[in-house]
Amino acid sequence: MTNRLQTSGWIALSIALAMLGAAVFASATGGLHVEAGGVQMTLQTSAETGLQLVFAAAS
């Protein structure tokens, strides 16, 4: 049980660090835009509005 919790903790830490890295990258470049299979994701960060993640589906 302890080994499983430790593994889950490392996975959660990795995901959190990846999200933080994406936010820093989006802040430095003015935004991050990803499109795959008709779904668009836009990540924008600023000091005034904070972190904004927008999903849109193209039809």
Side-chain angles (χ1 to χ4, degrees):
M1 182 75 175
T2 305
N3 194 17
R4 186 176 292 171
L5 289 175
Q6 185 176 10
T7 301
S8 298
W10 282 112
I11 292 171
L13 177 64
S14 299
I15 291 170
L17 288 175
M19 290 175 61
L20 179 62
V24 168
F25 180 76
S27 177
T29 61
L32 179 66
H33 180 78
V34 178
E35 182 176 351
V39 177
Q40 299 175 355
M41 181 192 81
T42 303
L43 177 66
Q44 297 176 339
T45 59
S46 70
E48 294 84 25
T49 60
L51 182 68
Q52 293 180 335
L53 181 62
V54 179
F55 287 98
S59 56

